[in-house]
Amino acid sequence: MAKTKRDAFGSKIGIIAAAAGSAVGLGNIYRFPCELGNNGGAAFLLVYLAIVLVLGVPVMLSEFIIGRRSQANAVGSFKKLAPKTFWPIVGFMGVFCGFVILAFYSTVSGWTLEYICKSLMNGFHGKDLAILEQEFSDFHNMGWKNVMWQAFFIFMTGFVVFKGVQKGIEKYSKILMPMLLVILMVLAVRSATLPGAKEGLAFLFHPDFSKLNGEVLISALGQVFFSLSVGMGALITYGSYIQKNDNLATTALSVTLSDTLVAVLAGIVIFPAAFSFGVQPEAGMGLVFNTLPLIFNQMTGGYVFCLIFFVLLAVAALTSTISLLEVMVAYLVEEIHIKRKWATVFACAATMCLGVFASLSLMDNTPFVIGGKTVFDGLDFLSSNILLPVGGMLIVIFVGWYLGKKKFYEEITNGGQLKIRIKTLILFIIKFVAPLAIAIIFIRGLGLFN
Ligand code: PHE
């Protein structure tokens, strides 16, 4: 069979934009504030930042290395680099994890579309917290509406993925990601200058360490991996589209920095406003969807800002769902040899089959509850707190111990062309620190030993 040329990213900035597009999404703007609010605020933020630096960057770099070296999808890469071993299982786990994440992620992505329509019709104007909360919960109880938006969102994702890497993913990410950053900065200024904002800033920046425990640690670990898109092969897949002369270490660093910046900014937008308007920091799902319209109501030009914000939120979600779907599609195309079009259709349909339950599980009195958790929460927990950490740990072990020093240096220095002064330190972290730290947090977080 003739080998078709693999798609690739066209430029350095394109790779960073696309990988940052994958990383920056609902995880930063929606999930991060929820987790922070539920886990006591500033102490969580500190732990989060430490984990980003010590574990997030090394895992991301490892994924890039695996992807670029093998030039293959999440499963194929392990098959190529470690033939006749059990390592490809890590890739399968990643594809499965992508499927699980996409199933519930698309639910919230769908909400962004509903909220775009609502802002178009000026539907938040003059409403107070109680009304917004009521409307948000009424919306969840309209199961069919959630499912419709979700399906539409998956359809859009499929459309871009079908068009391929350079023309689809890269083109959109390059323009829209910087726009999102700018609007968040404007919002952060507005929120931090609201009356009573100080308390929110204190919640975010004055840590209370008595709140730290195993559960907070694993939540932070899960949130870091989820937010950086690492641990499941999304960045192995994107790494396989990176060219041989690009600098993997600085790429990983830029992506991590942008992702973290957006998350912290989102915190500065949400919490001062939440405290100012009396939204509980533990409000969970409503934290973002109810607090933000309240800020817009207080702003000159609020109508326009609100609309732009929800459009950009939808786009941020889209660049992430694209990377999730791409993991499945690249696998189906390269390993199962299905045409890209049918691979996309199949992956979208399969995701929708599971996704419906995630959406419908948020209605009052829903039957879709397993072990006390809604299907939505269950899928979130399974992927973020179990599959991603385990996947991330195996990925660093693979690079540190299986690929080994020589290949690691070869890849990170582009065969000796780049000078990376701290490469020994990075390898040390990948080999020893990262796997151990992940294992300890994981075991403690699940309460297996104290
Ligand atoms: N990182 C994305 C976000 O924060 C979610 C994601 C997770 C995307 C894993 C790809 C892989 O929204």
Side-chain angles (χ1 to χ4, degrees):
M1 197 177 61
K3 234 182 128 95
T4 45
K5 192 174 173 306
R6 288 188 96 242
D7 216 344
F9 289 127
S11 65
K12 259 191 193 89
I13 190 80
I15 306 153
I16 297 179
S22 166
V24 174
L26 299 171
N28 308 58
I29 297 164
Y30 163 79
R31 199 177 186 280
F32 177 75
C34 287
E35 290 289 304
L36 196 112
N38 283 329
N39 288 295
F44 177 88
L45 177 62
L46 269 185
V47 176
Y48 178 87
L49 293 176
I51 296 181
V52 165
L53 198 69
V54 182
L55 304 179
V57 184
V59 181
M60 187 182 291
L61 182 60
S62 302
E63 287 204 25
F64 282 157
I65 288 177
I66 296 174
R68 190 178 65 175
R69 192 168 178 89
S70 65
Q71 298 282 301
N73 61 86
V75 176
S77 55
F78 287 102
K79 280 194 193 160
K80 264 196 190 166
L81 299 178
K84 304 211 174 70
T85 62
F86 68 89
W87 282 107
I89 294 175
V90 180
F92 279 116
M93 221 174 80
V95 175
F96 175 70
C97 182
F99 164 68
V100 171
I101 295 181
L102 191 55
F104 74 88
Y105 197 92
S106 51
T107 299
V108 184
S109 305
W111 301 348
T112 63
L113 301 179
E114 165 81 7
Y115 273 62
I116 290 175
C117 292
K118 238 179 146 164
S119 16
L120 255 178
M121 296 182 300
N122 207 6
F124 305 112
H125 185 72
K127 291 182 179 161
D128 64 11
L129 180 62
I131 301 181
L132 290 174
E133 278 177 347
Q134 187 57 47
E135 288 183 356
F136 188 58
S137 108
D138 290 346
F139 169 54
H140 288 161
N141 280 314
M142 290 186 257
W144 59 269
K145 206 174 182 187
N146 286 258
V147 172
M148 183 196 81
W149 283 130
Q150 177 182 30
F152 188 63
F153 206 94
I154 291 186
F155 173 79
M156 291 196 310
T157 310
F159 181 75
V160 181
V161 166
F162 168 63
K163 283 180 69 179
V165 174
Q166 215 182 76
K167 275 184 241 104
I169 303 171
E170 186 175 340
K171 194 170 99 193
Y172 298 110
S173 311
K174 258 195 304 207
I175 321 164
L176 295 161
M177 284 300 110
M179 265 173 81
L180 180 70
L181 203 63
V182 172
I183 194 158
L184 275 177
M185 286 178 181
V186 174
L187 286 177
V189 171
R190 175 67 271 218
S191 175
T193 50
L194 284 168
K198 269 210 193 85
E199 237 183 297
L201 290 172
F203 178 75
L204 200 55
F205 295 118
H206 288 276
D208 171 1
F209 288 108
S210 68
K211 297 226 168 90
L212 279 188
N213 57 34
E215 231 170 276
V216 173
L217 283 179
I218 183 108
S219 302
L221 181 73
Q223 175 59 27
V224 169
F225 281 20
F226 187 89
S227 187
L228 293 177
S229 303
V230 299
M232 44 120 344
L235 299 183
I236 294 183
T237 310
Y238 274 19
S240 75
Y241 305 130
I242 298 182
Q243 288 166 8
K244 289 289 177 198
N245 57 355
D246 283 319
N247 186 332
L248 295 184
T250 50
T251 305
L253 211 59
S254 322
V255 174
T256 306
L257 276 178
S258 341
D259 186 72
T260 309
L261 181 67
V262 173
V264 173
L265 262 177
I268 302 178
V269 173
I270 303 291
F271 288 102
F275 276 81
S276 167
F277 296 120
V279 182
Q280 292 304 312
E282 301 90 5
M285 301 184 162
L287 193 58
V288 171
F289 283 89
N290 295 329
T291 310
L292 284 170
L294 289 169
I295 311 180
F296 296 120
N297 279 343
Q298 302 280 316
M299 285 171 77
T300 19
Y303 174 81
V304 179
F305 273 113
C306 186
L307 185 59
I308 302 179
F309 175 81
F310 281 114
V311 170
L312 289 177
L313 188 60
V315 172
L318 184 64
T319 50
S320 300
T321 52
I322 288 168
S323 71
L324 288 161
L325 189 66
E326 177 67 19
V327 173
M328 288 188 259
V329 171
Y331 162 70
L332 292 172
V333 171
E334 293 178 10
E335 302 302 311
I336 315 282
H337 306 292
I338 307 178
K339 283 222 168 67
R340 193 164 180 91
K341 180 164 135 200
W342 292 115
T344 311
V345 170
F346 176 77
C348 288
T351 307
M352 206 48 220
C353 289
L354 181 61
V356 169
F357 296 103
S359 284
L360 296 182
S361 76
L362 296 174
M363 300 196 304
D364 296 338
N365 305 321
T366 175
F368 304 117
V369 177
I370 303 170
K373 270 190 187 346
T374 58
V375 170
F376 181 97
D377 284 339
L379 295 178
D380 184 347
F381 183 84
L382 170 68
S383 52
S384 313
N385 289 12
I386 297 179
L387 294 174
L388 291 181
V390 172
M393 185 173 75
L394 293 172
I395 285 169
V396 277
I397 292 179
F398 179 77
V399 170
W401 296 88
Y402 187 90
L403 273 190
K405 186 166 154 181
K406 189 169 154 269
K407 290 181 185 157
F408 173 79
Y409 286 161
E410 232 169 68
E411 229 18 80
I412 188 174
T413 62
N414 293 349
Q417 283 174 359
L418 300 171
K419 275 238 149 352
I420 310 273
R421 262 192 240 116
I422 52 167
K423 60 178 193 274
T424 333
L425 175 67
I426 305 178
L427 182 62
F428 178 76
I429 294 179
I430 288 182
K431 243 178 131 160
F432 300 102
V433 181
L436 260 178
I438 299 173
I440 292 172
I441 298 177
F442 183 69
I443 292 168
R444 283 211 56 166
L446 293 186
L448 298 183
F449 89 103
N450 275 315

